[in-house]
């Protein structure tokens, strides 16, 4: 079973974290939420508290790192050295990375978007160093998936499901969740 780690920092955008968590679990993927602080309780940008499954030092090998946006959540993720080390290790191994809204800045500032198509929340393009910014709701380029913002969270989640489970699973989920295809 594929394991996806969703990293949470105070100020994360709830829709961009919880929608993918829900959809990926519905697809049968193992999703582990990870707090980047010393406490498992992480507060979203709109005050929603979430209890993470693990802390950064409890993360094991996985198949994808997913970064929800939101402010100041994305900047907290960017400052987490343990997360940065994991991201660079995943990138070196060709493993999958996903980021939405402001969080693609974490990948861009590490040079991981150079030569790739990417999207992000308007105003954060400057951090997508070397990327071809498209403004699309979702971009999939090689091992990296980026999303534009809260309104793209469902499509972002479906892109991840398609990567790991195929288009058939996406259609099955859309039908069961009453999402217009």
């Amino acid at each position: 079973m594929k394991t996806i780690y969703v990293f949470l920092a105070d100020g994360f955008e709830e829709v961009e974290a919880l929608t993918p968590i829900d959809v990926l679990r519905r697809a049968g993927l193992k999703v582990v939420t990870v707090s980047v602080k010393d406490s498992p309780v992480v507060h979203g940008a709109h005050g929603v508290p979430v209890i993470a499954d693990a802390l950064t030092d409890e993360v094991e090998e996985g198949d994808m790192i997913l970064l929800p946006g939101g402010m100041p959540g994305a900047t907290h993720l960017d400052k987490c050295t343990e997360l940065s080390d994991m991201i660079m290790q995943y990138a070196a191994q060709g493993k999958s990375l996903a980021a939405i809204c402001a969080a693609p800045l974490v990948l861009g500032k590490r040079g991981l978007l150079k030569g790739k198509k990417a999207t992000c929340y308007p105003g954060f393009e400057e951090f997508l160093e070397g990327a071809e910014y498209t403004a699309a709701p979702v971009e999939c380029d090689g091992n990296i998936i980026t999303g534009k913002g809260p309104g793209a969270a469902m499509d972002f989640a479906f892109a991840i499901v398609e990567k790991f489970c195929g288009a058939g699973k996406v259609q099955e989920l859309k039908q069961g969740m009453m999402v217009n295809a």
Side-chain angles (χ1 to χ4, degrees):
M1 178 184 299
K2 300 291 185 185
T3 302
I4 298 170
Y5 288 105
V6 179
F7 284 81
L8 302 174
D10 282 337
F12 72 90
E13 171 56 55
E14 292 92 341
V15 171
E16 297 164 1
L18 300 178
T19 299
I21 290 166
D22 179 275
V23 172
L24 299 174
R25 287 184 176 170
R26 286 174 191 251
L29 296 164
K30 180 180 177 185
V31 179
V32 179
T33 57
V34 183
S35 169
V36 299
K37 57 185 205 171
D38 293 335
S39 166
V41 180
V42 187
H43 291 87
H46 303 98
V48 178
V50 172
I51 301 171
D53 301 315
L55 302 178
T56 52
D57 62 354
E58 299 169 327
V59 173
E60 299 174 358
E61 279 297 309
D63 300 285
M64 173 181 266
I65 290 174
L66 189 158
L67 307 175
M71 290 301 281
T75 55
H76 291 315
L77 293 175
D78 186 46
K79 292 175 184 171
C80 179
T81 53
E82 296 90 347
L83 173 58
S84 181
D85 292 346
M86 283 184 249
I87 289 170
M88 296 311 289
Q89 182 181 23
Y90 270 54
Q93 295 172 358
K95 290 186 178 184
S96 297
L97 301 167
I100 185 168
C101 192
L105 74 84
V106 177
L107 305 179
K109 288 173 73 175
R110 284 155 183 79
L112 300 176
L113 299 177
K114 286 184 179 156
K116 294 189 179 284
K117 289 183 178 181
T119 192
C120 65
Y121 194 83
F124 288 87
E125 306 90 342
E126 68 180 280
F127 300 107
L128 308 184
E129 296 174 17
E132 178 187 335
Y133 175 70
T134 67
V138 177
E139 279 296 344
C140 302
D141 194 337
N143 65 324
I144 296 179
I145 299 173
T146 52
K148 190 169 187 175
M154 189 74 78
D155 289 337
F156 177 71
F158 286 141
I160 296 167
V161 170
E162 185 168 349
K163 179 173 189 65
F164 289 113
C165 305
K169 181 55 102 175
V170 171
Q171 285 311 115
E172 178 187 318
L173 288 171
K174 284 183 174 183
Q175 190 172 31
M177 296 173 72
M178 307 304 291
V179 175
N180 295 332

